[in-house]
Amino acid sequence: MDINYFILISLAAMACIGESASVPALYVFGDSLVDNGNNNYWSTALKANYPHNGVDFPGGTPTGRWSNGYNTIDFLAAMLGFKSAPPPFLSPVKDTSQGANFASGGSGILDTTGPTTIPLSTQIKFFQSFAQNLTQQMGSQQASLHLSTSLFLISPGSNDMAAYYAGAAGPPNEITKQRYINTLIQTLENHLRNLYQLGARKFWIQGLYCIGCAPGARSMSPLRGCLEDGNDLAKRFNTAVTQLLDRLNSTLVGMKYSHANVFNMMSAVLANPNAFGMKEVRSACCGGGINNAMLPCTPIAILCPNRNEYLFWDFVHLTQATYNLVALQSFNGSQNVATPINLMQLAQN
């Protein structure tokens, strides 16, 4: 079915739903795939608060989302019954009664990834302060109930993958790949345990997509095909994350999760773009140079007119249409794309 139809459904939900959210709040952590503006208020050059970003957002406003419009969190919030996605935690004017977004574009699982951004460890420290204030306002028992029934949405790892290749001394090999993934998983486990100790019980983890097929990666391939080494690293990481989540689920009382297999979602689109209403899956919509991916998305960048038909917004980020597809399949998809349960089931559990 045409992706435009799905976007209309989700946008209608965002306009009309919200009086009966299925969970108390949403708390968001991670990178630019879920950041909705924290970097606007942080001392970093990695920002998306300028055109052509936001060209399809209401009013054509660049909000700090790396997208032509909404991102996955916006659509998930609508599907869960919220009137809007949770606001950036660093925004000076915000209503955090239904959650907050702590994500930062360019950040990683490791503190050394994206050193000028807000790493996951600092995001969790911000949440710790937030949770303490919540306890003071609601009382310990009510705050504990609120957090244990809220959803914690996390997008980890994509920038750590980029950092691995940027810092690799020579071609990657089996030993360095596995050693790096082990380090990421050990650190991610500490982060998840910290959130659990702070009251989190329901986790939605977004897996890595086919990073070797992003326009920026393709531009480095002589034949402009996917860089399979990058895809291999993403698959290894995704497998290790699900194994970690299974282990935590069996050892942490009350911990439940849904893992969004975005790799499988994107693989299906790449194999049959027309089935998802897509016509361009190799080049970026906004940019310049090879695959329109050699230059950033700025006010002077080349902008495609048919944005809903593009898989990628810029050299590495997704279009609103793709974010919407990820949200839809994460929310009510089968176990091929959402394991062991989907987000709707997690919210109802």
Side-chain angles (χ1 to χ4, degrees), residues 164 173-186 236:
Y164 171 76
N173 58 58
E174 294 299 310
I175 295 176
T176 59
K177 277 185 182 180
Q178 196 56 52
R179 184 181 299 151
Y180 189 66
I181 288 174
N182 290 344
T183 299
L184 290 178
I185 294 301
Q186 291 167 7
R236 289 174 183 232

Side-chain angles (χ1 to χ4, degrees), residues 4-86:
N4 294 314
Y5 173 76
F6 289 125
I7 290 177
L8 286 173
I9 290 177
S10 293
L11 291 179
M14 296 174 82
C16 302
I17 300 177
E19 295 182 2
S20 57
S22 55
V23 294
L26 304 177
Y27 296 102
V28 184
F29 303 83
D31 50 35
S32 55
L33 296 175
V34 294
D35 180 8
N36 65 348
N38 278 308
N39 280 14
N40 296 353
Y41 310 99
W42 193 254
S43 180
T44 177
L46 296 176
K47 301 180 189 292
N49 58 345
Y50 52 81
H52 298 295
N53 295 299
V55 64
D56 295 313
F57 198 83
T61 305
T63 61
R65 292 167 173 81
W66 274 264
S67 168
N68 55 304
Y70 293 105
N71 66 22
T72 297
I73 301 302
D74 294 299
F75 291 116
L76 288 177
M79 294 169 196
L80 289 163
F82 292 92
K83 291 181 179 178
S84 63

Side-chain angles (χ1 to χ4, degrees), residues 24-25 27 127 130-150 152 197-201:
Y27 296 102
F127 174 73
F130 180 95
Q132 290 170 348
N133 290 334
L134 193 70
T135 300
Q136 292 175 357
Q137 296 168 12
M138 303 177 68
S140 178
Q141 187 173 359
Q142 281 301 112
S144 178
L145 178 62
H146 170 92
L147 293 175
S148 67
T149 51
S150 294
F152 287 73
Q197 291 299 322
L198 291 170
R201 293 296 182 270

Side-chain angles (χ1 to χ4, degrees), residues 192-277:
L192 296 178
R193 286 183 177 274
N194 286 340
L195 284 172
Y196 178 87
Q197 291 299 322
L198 291 170
R201 293 296 182 270
K202 296 184 175 186
F203 296 84
W204 175 81
I205 310 295
Q206 178 168 259
L208 296 182
Y209 67 71
C210 313
I211 58 175
C213 296
R218 287 180 184 271
S219 68
M220 294 184 285
S221 170
L223 299 178
R224 307 294 179 242
C226 296
L227 293 180
E228 292 307 328
D229 192 75
N231 286 343
D232 176 66
L233 192 65
K235 286 190 286 188
R236 289 174 183 232
F237 176 77
N238 289 339
T239 298
V241 168
T242 56
Q243 291 171 346
L244 166 63
L245 293 171
D246 280 340
R247 180 157 49 83
L248 293 177
N249 178 243
S250 66
T251 56
L252 299 179
V253 176
M255 185 271 190
K256 299 184 182 300
Y257 77 90
S258 175
H259 181 264
N261 193 331
V262 186
F263 196 99
N264 281 359
M265 297 179 198
M266 183 172 287
S267 295
V269 177
L270 291 170
N272 189 2
N274 290 335
F276 296 90

